[in-house]
Amino acid sequence: MQTGTTISEVRNAIGLARSAAKKIGCVPTMGALHAGHLSLIEKAARHSDFVVVTIFVNPTQFGPDEDYDSYPRTLENDLQLCERAGANFVFHPQNETIYSDNPQLKLCVGELARRWEGDSRPGHFDGVATIVAKLFNIVQPNVAMFGQKDYQQLAIIKALCRDLNFPIEIVGCPTIREEDGLALSSRNAYLSPSERKQATVLYRALCLAEKLIQDDQLSLKQIRQKMLEVLVSEPDVVPEYATIVDPDDLQMLEQRQQKMVALIAAKVGETRLIDNREIFQTTS
Ligand code: AMP
């Protein structure tokens, strides 16, 4: 496995791979890698011939009061994990390599970026779309992997490729969870032992939503209320939203449909966590 911090290093390596007719796969990450990230890298290795993992804690997607400075940075360990998972190149640039001193352009995502996560984190998805577009221009992959864990982000990356004509196949990958259901996240490292136990409530609320939808007794509004009730049953959990939306435009649903997604964001102590679950209506 090769590594590099400059754009010319990664472009040279990819140029060689491409001239050998290799299909290029890309897995953008912010590092502090866990089994969720590794599942994306392994999938990229199955879908392509040359896997580029990017590790970059992107400052423009963090709000002023968010955890940019304290975000876990574990590069040495990440490189070992990437190699074992089948990466061919890890691109881990410095800020100065990615952003000029006085950048004049950035992407601005439409209404898909304003609800849910976008409402709680203004500007977040503009930062995500801008960095992903820049990484796509640097790597020019044929295929790129993103986790369903960040459901709204995945929807926005698909819109980015469609609306700006990036000829890149976007593959959504299932959420990898701990045995007790907690979705793996680099931010789980912030949780105290007591918060870690309480954090499973996000998954429990999602499973309850699925069961209640399939039981077909309550309205979606009542089910949203039940999700909130479960979340607040844990003393250190403060929900931000718990909702059921259309999988394409992420608009809140009032009526059931065949495919739905339950989305949750909640603070567990000081740590903000998100999770989601696709739900299929099985009864008529
Ligand atoms: P991040 O490092 O948090 O920016 O995440 C990099 C990629 O890994 C994104 O596409 C995430 O959606 C994905 N990811 C994060 N956590 C998980 C997980 N538990 N299961 C699957 N994919 C994940």
Side-chain angles (χ1 to χ4, degrees):
M1 186 183 80
Q2 300 166 267
T3 67
T5 57
T6 66
I7 292 174
S8 55
E9 281 171 307
V10 65
R11 281 207 170 133
N12 286 342
I14 292 166
L16 285 176
R18 200 172 283 115
S19 59
K22 290 188 174 171
K23 181 173 172 182
I24 312 297
C26 184
V27 183
T29 81
M30 298 203 300
L33 301 184
H34 51 63
H37 298 111
L38 302 185
S39 74
L40 269 55
I41 300 171
E42 286 159 6
K43 195 161 194 167
R46 291 195 296 275
H47 277 67
S48 65
D49 312 304
F50 191 83
V51 177
V52 180
V53 177
T54 68
I55 297 180
F56 180 61
V57 184
N58 173 37
T60 66
Q61 71 188 68
F62 287 79
D65 300 328
E66 292 184 0
D67 56 345
Y68 174 71
D69 288 331
S70 58
Y71 197 84
R73 289 164 172 84
T74 57
L75 184 63
E76 286 312 311
N77 190 48
D78 289 351
L79 294 178
Q80 289 178 14
L81 294 174
C82 283
E83 179 148 35
R84 266 186 254 149
N88 298 97
F89 197 103
V90 178
F91 177 51
H92 57 99
Q94 300 290 316
N95 280 350
E96 309 76 68
T97 303
I98 295 295
Y99 291 109
S100 64
D101 281 347
N102 187 17
Q104 296 298 309
L105 289 177
K106 64 173 188 177
L107 291 182
C108 177
V109 188
E111 59 178 351
L112 188 52
R114 284 189 211 116
R115 48 185 75 112
W116 315 124
E117 282 305 277
D119 190 35
S120 302
R121 307 180 69 189
H124 169 68
F125 286 121
D126 291 352
V128 169
T130 302
I131 186 62
V132 171
K134 285 164 76 69
L135 292 170
F136 281 175
N137 281 327
I138 293 167
V139 175
Q140 298 185 9
N142 303 95
V143 58
M145 309 299 165
F146 289 86
Q148 287 171 346
K149 156 82 169 37
D150 299 285
Y151 203 89
Q152 192 171 4
Q153 171 173 282
L154 175 60
I156 287 169
I157 302 303
K158 286 180 179 166
L160 168 76
C161 288
R162 184 193 65 217
D163 294 348
L164 297 187
N165 305 96
F166 283 99
I168 299 169
E169 181 193 355
I170 303 300
V171 177
C173 303
T175 301
I176 305 297
R177 300 178 178 281
E178 302 279 8
E179 259 177 33
D180 60 9
L182 177 66
L184 296 189
S185 163
S186 307
R187 291 192 168 97
N188 292 349
Y190 301 149
L191 299 169
S192 71
S194 153
E195 290 166 351
R196 168 64 187 81
K197 277 192 201 139
Q198 296 178 53
T200 59
V201 77
L202 277 78
Y203 183 66
R204 284 184 271 134
L206 293 169
C207 293
L208 176 69
E210 180 176 51
K211 180 177 179 305
L212 292 175
I213 284 177
Q214 290 174 351
D215 287 352
D216 212 8
Q217 300 296 312
L218 299 181
S219 68
L220 293 187
K221 185 174 178 195
Q222 289 169 316
I223 295 173
R224 287 197 299 269
Q225 188 56 36
K226 294 281 180 202
M227 290 164 77
L228 287 171
E229 285 169 18
V230 174
L231 289 166
V232 298
S233 71
E234 293 291 351
D236 299 318
V237 174
V238 178
E240 267 182 31
Y241 58 80
T243 188
I244 298 162
V245 304
D246 179 280
D248 294 323
D249 61 15
L250 306 191
Q251 298 251 37
M252 187 163 80
L253 292 170
E254 294 302 342
Q255 302 296 331
R256 293 163 147 74
Q257 58 187 38
Q258 205 200 355
K259 187 176 173 190
M260 295 162 270
V261 189
L263 300 175
I264 289 179
K267 276 214 161 174
V268 182
E270 288 303 304
T271 306
R272 189 172 181 284
L273 299 179
I274 58 172
D275 202 352
N276 66 80
R277 190 169 177 86
E278 286 181 335
I279 300 175
F280 298 87
Q281 172 95 26
T282 48
T283 51
S284 57

